[in-house]
């Protein structure tokens, strides 16, 4: 795709299907000849004009609004033309075909085609143009897709903050602090005979400590943003007829899974995404775990273990009406051992004591006691799930982030920690200190896609009077 970024591109910018309005969008250079052919007149910049969209014979294909955004003041940074027509699929395809046809037609005034090389855009190419032309950074480009795909109101609001640049501004603040430190270290390395100790006078140790504090705050908000976007996968596990399907229905607030007193009713995976304070939780109900000679049930149990092994958290249901039975207690103990053996390190298992309404015995103090039938304990479970996910009640300060952003920030933290160790050793480790700061900056660059290596030289030469 990168090799074709000079081509003008066109696409239907609205979702497939019928609607009141549909948009055809074009981005490229020197749009005036195409505008004249399709719209029949020049357009004022950034002003919606109602007019007919004409075919090659001058017959209207449709009537609608045309808006011209001259470069560089457009989403892509190129000339952009938006044609807002009626939202029928056939109408939009006719309009797209007419634009492609008009682009290839010979223009007498310019002595060439009206818009040579116009082609249908590839997925995401308009946003890619915006990034390549410096209109948005990588984090903002990802926020566009996240805003479209947001499954909760909180996720949509957070994606909007990321798109407006809130996350990128935080990263730029970290970069500025990191660059100041790199300048001090590079200056000390370049002028080792100077009497002035750049690092000491500029309080490099204090600057590095402040940088780490700022990084911790950004990491916290990024983790919350990643939770809003990704959510967590919660798998309900336990013996047959322990109340797993009833719990899924209670959490979802709908009858999603078949509930029956017959053991082994659930034979396949049933999943549903629910929201808890705007955080998406992907809840999976599985077949009851037991020894079985039924071939179909064996497949369901194997799939259940597959889901469990890929979970972010497991709800292990214990039927309070049967926990006193020796066979049932032994089977629960075997499942506990299997969970310990098969789950990755760090995956939490929450013990759920179910059927509290029908139990004759008290539930243990550990875990969560509940009744899916009456709803008692369901809210406590929701709270516990948010705790396990690591969610904190700071929705207004959260911007939507991705797992790769969190991972990049973790690498920055690791490099800064090592840099602090080298800084404490002073001159003996300045080269290593400089390298760790460079690696920390590279990790930050992965988030926004900005600030190349040569930029550091420009900052150094502009802020230090080196040529004395």
């Amino acid at each position: 795709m990168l090799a074709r970024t000079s081509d003008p591109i066109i696409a239907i910018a609205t979702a497939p299907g019928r609607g009141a309005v549909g948009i055809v969008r074009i981005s490229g250079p020197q749009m005036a000849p195409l505008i004249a052919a399709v719209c029949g007149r020049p357009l004022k910049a950034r002003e919606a004009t109602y007019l007919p969209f004409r075919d090659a014979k001058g017959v209207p294909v449709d009537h609608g609004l045309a808006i011209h955004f001259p470069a560089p003041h457009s989403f892509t940074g190129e000339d952009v033309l938006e044609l807002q027509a009626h939202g029928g699929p056939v109408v939009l395809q006719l309009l797209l075909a007419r634009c492609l046809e008009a682009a290839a037609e010979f223009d007498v005034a310019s002595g060439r085609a009206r818009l040579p090389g116009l082609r249908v855009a590839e997925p995401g190419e308009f946003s890619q143009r915006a990034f390549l032309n410096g209109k948005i950074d990588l984090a903002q480009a990802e926020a566009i897709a996240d805003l479209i795909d947001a499954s909760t109101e909180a996720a949509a609001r957070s994606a909007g903050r990321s798109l407006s640049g809130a996350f990128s501004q935080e990263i730029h603040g970290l970069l500025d602090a990191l660059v100041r430190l790199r300048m001090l270290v590079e200056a000390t390395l370049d002028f080792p005979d100077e009497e002035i100790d750049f690092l000491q006078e500029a309080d490099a140790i204090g600057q590095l400590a402040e940088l780490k504090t700022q990084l911790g705050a950004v990491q916290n908000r990024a983790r919350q943003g990643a939770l809003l976007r990704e959510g967590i996968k919660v798998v309900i596990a336990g013996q047959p007829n322990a109340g797993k399907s009833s719990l899924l229905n209670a959490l979802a607030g709908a009858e999603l899974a078949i509930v029956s007193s017959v053991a082994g009713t659930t034979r396949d995976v049933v999943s549903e995404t629910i929201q808890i304070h705007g955080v998406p939780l992907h809840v999976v109900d599985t077949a009851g775990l037991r020894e079985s000679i039924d071939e179909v049930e064996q497949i369901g149990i194997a799939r259940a273990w597959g889901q469990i092994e890929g979970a972010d958290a497991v709800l292990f249901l214990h039927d309070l009406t049967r926990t006193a039975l020796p066979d049932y207690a032994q089977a629960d103990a075997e499942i506990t051992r299997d969970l310990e053996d098969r789950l990755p390190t760090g995956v939490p298992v929450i013990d759920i004591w179910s059927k509290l309404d029908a139990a004759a015995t008290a539930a243990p103090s550990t875990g969560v006691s509940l009744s899916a039938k009456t709803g008692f304990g369901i809210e406590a479970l929701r709270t516990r799930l948010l705790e396990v996910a690591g969610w904190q009640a700071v929705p207004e300060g959260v911007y939507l982030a991705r797992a790769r952003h969190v991972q990049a920030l973790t690498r920055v933290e690791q490099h800064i920690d090592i840099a602090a160790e080298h800084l404490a050793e002073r001159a003996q480790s300045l080269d290593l200190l400089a390298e760790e700061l460079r690696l920390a900056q590279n990790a930050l660059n992965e988030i926004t896609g900005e600030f190349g290596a040569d930029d550091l030289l420009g900052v150094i030469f502009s802020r230090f009077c080196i040529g004395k």
Side-chain angles (χ1 to χ4, degrees):
M1 187 186 293
L2 288 175
R4 307 175 66 194
T5 53
S6 60
D7 295 347
I9 54 176
I10 183 173
I12 297 173
T14 41
R18 300 173 62 188
V21 177
I23 299 174
V24 173
R25 178 180 293 162
I26 309 166
S27 180
Q30 302 177 7
M31 202 78 70
L34 179 66
I35 291 173
V38 176
C39 301
R41 52 176 288 188
L43 299 175
K44 293 183 179 180
R46 292 172 295 282
E47 182 177 300
T49 304
Y50 179 76
L51 45 72
F53 306 130
R54 303 182 182 277
D55 65 14
K57 298 180 180 179
V59 178
V61 175
D62 193 10
H63 289 70
L65 296 177
I67 311 175
H68 179 214
F69 301 91
H73 305 295
S74 70
F75 173 65
T76 64
E78 304 171 332
D79 277 2
V80 170
L81 174 65
E82 284 195 0
L83 305 176
Q84 301 181 11
H86 292 94
V90 174
V91 173
L92 294 176
Q93 288 293 339
L94 284 173
L95 189 54
L96 184 143
R98 170 56 188 147
C99 290
L100 289 169
E101 176 188 43
E105 291 172 352
F106 182 78
D107 178 53
V108 176
S110 63
R112 62 185 183 92
R114 288 194 173 94
L115 192 57
L118 179 65
R119 59 175 174 81
V120 176
E122 298 177 16
E125 195 168 1
F126 284 92
S127 297
Q128 184 197 53
R129 296 278 176 99
F131 166 67
L132 293 175
N133 292 326
K135 306 299 290 188
I136 56 175
D137 60 32
L138 281 180
Q140 290 175 296
E142 290 170 317
I144 295 171
D146 292 339
L147 182 59
I148 294 171
D149 294 336
S151 59
T152 69
E153 179 182 348
R157 291 183 181 277
S158 296
R161 281 191 283 273
S162 292
L163 180 56
S164 68
F167 184 33
S168 300
Q169 289 170 12
E170 297 262 16
I171 300 302
H172 291 154
L174 292 174
L175 276 169
D176 288 344
L178 194 53
V179 168
R180 286 195 297 270
L181 271 171
R182 288 193 66 191
M183 287 191 303
L184 294 172
V185 176
E186 297 291 344
T188 304
L189 286 171
D190 288 342
F191 303 101
D193 298 328
E194 290 290 332
E195 296 179 359
I196 298 176
D197 187 337
F198 288 102
L199 297 181
Q200 183 175 357
E201 290 213 347
D203 187 23
I205 293 177
Q207 288 192 40
L208 191 59
E210 177 62 24
L211 174 60
K212 187 169 182 179
T213 300
Q214 294 176 15
L215 175 63
V218 175
Q219 281 181 298
N220 183 54
R221 285 191 286 273
R223 290 190 190 101
Q224 304 304 298
L227 271 177
L228 280 178
R229 181 183 184 275
E230 310 284 349
I232 64 169
K233 178 181 178 180
V234 179
V235 177
I236 305 174
Q239 294 187 57
N241 210 22
K244 298 185 297 298
S245 298
S246 296
L247 178 58
L248 172 63
N249 293 341
L251 286 171
E255 296 296 320
L256 302 173
I258 298 173
V259 177
S260 169
S261 60
V262 178
T265 298
T266 301
R267 300 217 170 179
D268 204 350
V269 172
V270 179
S271 62
E272 178 68 11
T273 297
I274 64 172
Q275 299 179 29
I276 302 179
H277 298 308
V279 179
L281 270 70
H282 313 293
V283 185
V284 181
D285 178 24
T286 59
L289 304 176
R290 67 174 177 179
E291 296 292 331
S292 176
I293 60 173
D294 186 309
E295 184 177 351
V296 175
E297 189 176 2
Q298 287 177 353
I299 295 173
I301 293 171
R303 291 182 177 179
W305 278 112
Q307 293 292 327
I308 291 169
E309 291 169 359
D312 296 311
V314 176
L315 303 182
F316 183 10
L317 261 66
H318 308 274
D319 184 349
L320 278 173
T321 65
R322 293 186 285 165
T323 51
L325 300 177
D327 289 346
Y328 185 86
Q330 181 180 350
D332 261 8
E334 291 175 357
I335 294 174
T336 298
R337 288 192 294 271
D338 288 340
L339 288 172
E340 292 174 352
D341 293 339
R342 302 177 72 157
L343 278 177
T345 302
V347 175
V349 177
I350 304 175
D351 289 306
I352 306 295
W353 306 98
S354 65
K355 303 185 182 180
L356 187 64
D357 59 293
T361 57
S365 58
T366 59
V368 178
S369 303
L370 56 80
S371 168
K373 182 177 181 179
T374 66
F376 178 85
I378 296 298
E379 190 58 36
L381 176 58
R382 291 192 177 107
T383 301
R384 182 77 179 97
L385 286 171
L386 287 181
E387 292 174 356
V388 166
W391 175 253
Q392 299 173 8
V394 287
E396 290 306 316
V398 172
Y399 30 70
L400 215 60
R402 298 190 173 201
R404 79 169 189 89
H405 302 150
V406 176
Q407 293 165 3
L409 290 171
T410 299
R411 293 201 305 277
V412 174
E413 181 182 30
Q414 293 168 348
H415 291 305
I416 287 178
D417 286 341
I418 298 174
E421 296 175 5
H422 293 317
L423 183 57
E425 298 175 8
R426 300 302 299 275
Q428 292 84 349
S429 299
L430 286 185
D431 286 332
L432 297 176
L433 169 61
E435 177 63 10
E436 291 300 329
L437 294 178
R438 184 187 69 81
L439 292 173
Q441 182 182 327
N442 287 346
L444 285 176
N445 290 342
E446 292 178 13
I447 296 176
T448 60
E450 297 176 304
F451 206 102
D454 291 339
D455 294 320
L456 180 62
L457 296 177
V459 174
I460 291 175
F461 284 101
S462 66
R463 297 191 184 181
F464 279 82
C465 186
I466 293 179
K468 58 181 182 178

